[in-house]
Every structure is written in C-alpha cells, then in structure tokens.
Amino acid sequence: LYYVKLYYGKNERGKYITKYQTAKTKKDAEKILTAFLHGKNTNSVTLPSEHTVETWIEYWMKHAVKPNLQETTEYGYRQIIKNHIIPALGKIKLQKLTADQLQQYYTIKLKTLSPNTVLKHHNIMQTAFAMAVKHDVITKSPTLRTTPPKEIQNEIRPLTAEQLQQLIEAAYENREDKHALLLTIILLCFH
C-alpha cells in the first residue's frame, strides 16, 4: 500500500493538520495527491472539521441569529431546530452531510408537516450552511443540490356578511378588553 500525507495547514491553535489516505498503487496515490493539491489551489478543500450539524447550527444561532434577529424569530427557529432538525440530522458530521440525506429528510417531514413548514426547515439549514461555506467549514452547501418543497399560497377567503356579524357580536360581548378587540376587528374589516 501507498500512504498519501495530505497537509491542510494550521488550525486556530497553530497545530498542523494532516490526514492520511491509502492507495493500492503508486499511480492511485499520485492521483489522490494531485486532486488534493488542485483542491487547495482552487480553494475547494477545507480543513477537516469536527462540527456536526447540531454544533454548527448552534454556532450559527449564537453568532448570526441571536444578535441580528427578533426574539420571536429566534424562538421559532429554535423550535424547528430542537424538534425536527437536530433529532433527524444533528449527529451527522457537517462535512459528510449529503444532499440525498436532506432530500430524504424533506420527504419524511412532508408526511406530517405542510410544504410551507418544511420549506422553513430548508431555509434555516440553507442560511446556516451558507455561513459554514463563508467560514471555510464546508466547500458547498448540500442544500444547493436539493429540491425543497414548493411554497403553497393559501387562498384568502373573506368572511361572509353573516360571519362578520357573528365575529363583531362575539367581540362586543367580551367587555373585559374595553372594546379594544371590537375596535380592532371593525378597523380591519373596513381597511
């Protein structure tokens, strides 16, 4: 066997990062080395990373979402991440995550969630993984090679006169809010 030593550079602590690959022939070893060097020259090789999908998304939430988005948006993201993304994909190494794994994730989620909700999952991962590309953790985002569900436009059906009358009467009967609800409903109805 031939051993190919791949030198990636130094990590943030100044430690050399190397990996070894084996090849059966000298020609195969030369191909591995040539492909690696070409990747380094074209910036399509990244340092090996221990980040999993879970650790990267937590990093992204802490450094990109929390400082820049509203609390309600952050809360919504956290619920999707905690209840769906992490249980399904969290333990996978980020550099090993494939488009096929994401596509299967979408297919499974579409059995119990709406296409619009699964599209939100896709958008969260797409944004988080785009940051991973900018930080040289991955070379390409696997979300770019998936087909997420299409957004479904919900049909807006205006209330009938009878339904509107029932809504106003119900709001009028609720005197605890000092008619704020009634006023809001009337203003929205005639907007």
Side-chain angles (χ1 to χ4, degrees):
L1 290 177
Y2 290 84
Y3 293 92
V4 182
K5 183 177 183 179
L6 306 174
Y7 170 69
Y8 286 85
K10 293 181 181 181
N11 66 14
E12 58 274 353
R13 289 177 260 133
K15 182 181 174 188
Y16 288 103
I17 299 174
T18 55
K19 284 181 82 175
Y20 294 89
Q21 284 191 5
T22 58
K24 290 184 179 180
T25 66
K26 184 177 179 181
K27 187 174 183 176
D28 289 344
E30 288 171 348
K31 283 181 183 177
I32 291 170
L33 184 58
T34 302
F36 176 75
L37 292 174
H38 176 73
K40 280 188 79 170
N41 289 335
T42 59
N43 292 325
S44 60
V45 168
T46 59
L47 291 171
S49 171
E50 293 302 311
H51 272 295
T52 61
V53 171
E54 180 176 9
T55 62
W56 180 259
I57 287 184
E58 284 301 322
Y59 177 87
W60 170 73
M61 286 291 291
K62 180 178 179 183
H63 297 287
V65 174
K66 192 171 182 70
N68 297 309
L69 296 177
Q70 301 249 342
E71 264 185 55
T72 53
T73 304
E74 180 191 353
Y75 176 79
Y77 283 12
R78 283 218 178 273
Q79 293 307 305
I80 291 171
I81 291 164
K82 181 178 92 175
N83 296 323
H84 300 282
I85 297 172
I86 298 306
L89 303 169
K91 301 299 178 217
I92 299 171
K93 295 272 188 193
L94 185 58
Q95 292 180 335
K96 301 282 186 190
L97 182 65
T98 66
D100 185 54
Q101 288 170 311
L102 289 176
Q103 201 67 57
Q104 288 177 34
Y105 171 84
Y106 302 151
T107 302
I108 291 166
K109 291 298 174 184
L110 283 169
K111 292 177 182 175
T112 56
L113 300 172
S114 75
N116 291 358
T117 302
V118 177
L119 185 58
K120 286 179 188 172
H121 296 203
H122 167 79
N123 292 338
I124 287 171
M125 289 187 283
Q126 185 174 36
T127 307
F129 300 159
M131 184 173 158
V133 172
K134 286 181 187 175
H135 286 237
D136 294 323
V137 176
I138 55 177
T139 56
K140 288 183 183 174
S141 173
T143 58
L144 299 176
R145 297 183 302 276
T146 63
T147 306
K150 292 196 186 311
E151 183 176 10
I152 296 173
Q153 297 295 329
N154 292 325
E155 182 182 335
I156 298 173
R157 294 186 205 131
L159 297 176
T160 64
E162 184 179 302
Q163 291 170 326
L164 183 58
Q165 182 65 37
Q166 289 173 348
L167 181 62
I168 291 172
E169 286 172 5
Y172 185 76
E173 289 173 6
N174 182 1
R175 297 187 188 274
E176 291 177 13
D177 66 2
K178 309 235 187 296
H179 300 294
L181 181 60
L182 176 63
L183 181 60
T184 303
I185 290 170
I186 291 173
L187 287 173
L188 288 174
C189 289
F190 297 103
H191 180 35

